[in-house]
Amino acid sequence: MESETLPTSHVDNQSYSDDVVGNADLNIPECPIELKPFVGRSFPTLDNAIEFYENYGRRVGFDTRKNGSKKVDDITIWFYMVCNREGEHKFNNQQPKRRRKSKKCGCNDCVAFKFDSDRGYVIQHFNEEHNHPMVEVQHQKFMRLNRHLEPVHQKFISDCVGANIGPSLTFKPLIELMGGYESVGCTVLDICNYTWDIRRYAEGYDATMIIDELMKKKENCDAFTYEYEVDSCSRLIHLFWCDPMAKMNFLQFGDIVSFDTTYSTNR
């Protein structure tokens, strides 16, 4: 049984197109020979091959991404990777899942790995020509290959989302906690995307999560009170809750209006 995921641009089993979009100057990055791909270099597993090419991109200053693969009987026999700036940005009228700014410029850097039963995954084709400059050393920490949201980041961001703290305000204390920009390991955009993912995960279940939280508070405190109403479609329309302190304040002062001074932190 054969399944195939082809690259966005046409690729055959022999070679990629070597055409460069426009008249941009070609840029061939310098790299130690032991870190540089070349046709015939082999790797025991596909993960090793992918890691090698990513380390090459990380060293010389460009991001990488998968561009296609071909499987036969659940075995990946071809695997294609390219510079992250390969291709052209496509526009559509659909609402994007995330807000992204494209940097695609038709770069032709690419590598093709072919499975060999004796040698593992062998580099069958390699084009090292870029039509754009490499990322400067002082900016390489912002490359996608060098950015990772570790569990400590995810926990901190989740707590900030729960406290209704925006990405920019989340990023500032994260810098202090991790010991500076060099150690953060992510950008404000990464925090925005992770926050977006959290909210999409809770989409459609946020009302249920609120009621569950109120139920837990009631279990821990008999004096806690909450009431809610739903419409014919089981959508939450009215919600009221009151803790013991609020009840005491009401007995002492009557009706109370409170103002949340942090209301403007999130539009």
Side-chain angles (χ1 to χ4, degrees):
M1 184 66 181
E2 180 174 327
S3 62
E4 183 173 1
T5 304
L6 292 177
T8 52
S9 57
H10 174 71
V11 179
D12 57 25
N13 289 347
Q14 299 299 322
S15 65
Y16 282 85
S17 171
D18 292 329
D19 295 335
V20 177
V21 178
N23 295 320
D25 294 333
L26 296 181
N27 184 8
I28 299 178
E30 296 182 359
C31 179
I33 188 64
E34 64 271 13
L35 298 178
K36 189 172 184 177
F38 58 83
V39 174
R41 191 161 199 163
S42 61
F43 307 90
T45 67
L46 181 58
D47 289 340
N48 293 141
I50 294 173
E51 182 181 7
F52 179 84
Y53 189 65
E54 288 180 344
N55 287 336
Y56 167 68
R58 187 181 288 113
R59 175 61 182 264
V60 301
F62 72 94
D63 277 317
T64 65
R65 62 179 167 84
K66 173 185 174 181
N67 197 44
S69 62
K70 183 177 181 180
K71 284 188 175 182
V72 175
D73 296 330
D74 294 329
I75 298 178
T76 302
I77 62 172
W78 283 92
F79 194 87
Y80 308 97
M81 296 186 70
V82 296
C83 171
N84 202 41
R85 302 188 69 176
E86 181 271 344
E88 300 294 336
H89 181 56
K90 297 180 180 179
F91 297 91
N92 58 58
N93 296 325
Q94 297 180 354
Q95 180 68 22
K97 293 183 179 180
R98 288 178 175 175
R99 289 171 290 181
R100 292 184 174 94
K101 183 178 180 181
S102 175
K103 293 184 177 180
K104 293 182 178 180
C105 62
C107 180
N108 277 333
D109 176 271
C110 57
V111 65
F113 300 102
K114 184 180 180 181
F115 177 71
D116 184 285
S117 57
D118 296 325
R119 303 175 60 194
Y121 286 87
V122 183
I123 297 179
Q124 194 73 13
H125 173 80
F126 174 55
N127 184 353
E128 59 181 327
E129 296 177 343
H130 297 259
N131 64 348
H132 58 87
M134 298 295 98
V135 178
E136 297 179 0
V137 175
Q138 64 268 30
H139 298 146
Q140 288 183 3
K141 59 179 175 290
F142 299 114
M143 291 168 50
R144 183 182 57 81
L145 286 174
N146 293 326
R147 304 196 319 259
H148 301 282
L149 282 178
E150 303 293 343
V152 63
H153 296 96
Q154 298 175 9
K155 179 63 169 63
F156 186 78
I157 296 170
S158 299
D159 292 342
C160 290
V161 171
N164 201 28
I165 300 175
S168 296
L169 292 178
T170 299
F171 188 64
K172 292 179 180 179
L174 192 60
I175 296 173
E176 299 297 327
L177 289 173
M178 302 304 294
Y181 285 98
E182 300 290 337
S183 304
V184 172
C186 66
T187 65
V188 176
L189 181 59
D190 295 322
I191 296 177
C192 288
N193 289 336
Y194 189 73
T195 301
W196 182 289
D197 290 340
I198 293 175
R199 290 173 177 166
R200 284 181 59 85
Y201 177 79
E203 186 177 355
Y205 301 95
D206 48 351
T208 303
M209 294 168 64
I210 292 174
I211 300 302
D212 290 344
E213 187 65 26
L214 296 180
M215 290 176 63
K216 292 179 182 178
K217 290 183 179 294
K218 180 65 176 178
E219 293 175 357
N220 296 327
C221 179
D222 291 335
F224 184 83
T225 302
Y226 72 96
E227 299 288 343
Y228 66 92
E229 294 182 12
V230 296
D231 59 14
S232 58
C233 298
S234 298
R235 293 176 299 191
L236 184 66
I237 55 175
H238 295 139
L239 176 64
F240 169 81
W241 70 92
C242 185
D243 58 22
M245 184 60 69
K247 293 180 179 180
M248 292 177 60
N249 289 336
F250 179 77
L251 292 176
Q252 293 292 327
F253 307 107
D255 291 340
I256 297 175
V257 178
S258 63
F259 294 91
D260 182 1
T261 56
T262 63
Y263 75 96
S264 64
T265 59
N266 189 324
R267 295 182 182 178

